[in-house]
Amino acid sequence: PPKKKKGKIIAIVLVVLAVLLAATIALAALGSSVEDYQEPVENWAEAIEKDDVDMFYNTYLDLWSELGFTKSEVKDEFKTILDSFSEDVRDDLDCDDFKTSVEYGDIEKYDDGDIDDIMDILEAAGIDDVEIKEAYEIEATIQAEAEGKKWETDEYTFVVVKVDGKWSIYEIRGLPV
């Protein structure tokens, strides 16, 4: 008789573990509602939070050398932009430690004609070795919160493109800088 009890206990424990695992997976799927193409926007906001110029730089489509800029020049310019955002947030929230988030508005998947328009612009700039697979136009507001206080940007329009399997920011419209 003790072996039967032990077997039942093991079976119950295994069922409970299976249910917990399934619940964890379901919650993770619900919590990760950000699509792959939104990742550059999320990372852009996080770079402001972390004041991380490398992360900020890596959100963009890397065509700087083809346009005649060095990585150092671009990072210096990005540092100025990042400092401006970080300073605004810190001043408005009156604190140094804040958490950013992104509030999404309209999202439009670009059709082949829209992608061709981007490719034409790149080719006119002398960049003809980039193949854009997909693109989206994303309206978003960057928000920050700390100690019960809130801050947000105006709505920006991010154009993100997929090149070589990686999503990157091609353009941001509406920036104040």
Side-chain angles (χ1 to χ4, degrees), residues 133-152:
K133 297 290 186 184
E134 292 180 77
Y136 283 85
E137 184 174 286
I138 302 169
E139 292 179 359
T141 302
I142 310 303
Q143 301 173 334
E145 188 171 346
E147 301 171 4
K149 299 177 190 171
K150 295 182 180 186
W151 173 92
E152 69 178 32

Side-chain angles (χ1 to χ4, degrees), residues 44-49 56 81-95 97-103 140-156 175-176:
W44 195 83
E46 187 177 345
I48 294 170
E49 176 184 325
F56 199 77
I81 294 168
L82 191 57
D83 286 348
S84 174
F85 273 108
S86 295
E87 185 178 315
D88 284 351
V89 175
R90 285 176 175 78
D91 286 351
D92 286 357
L93 296 179
D94 195 28
C95 73
D97 192 27
F98 58 88
K99 180 78 178 144
T100 57
S101 61
V102 181
E103 180 72 29
T141 302
I142 310 303
Q143 301 173 334
E145 188 171 346
E147 301 171 4
K149 299 177 190 171
K150 295 182 180 186
W151 173 92
E152 69 178 32
T153 65
D154 292 331
E155 186 172 77
Y156 300 141
L175 288 178

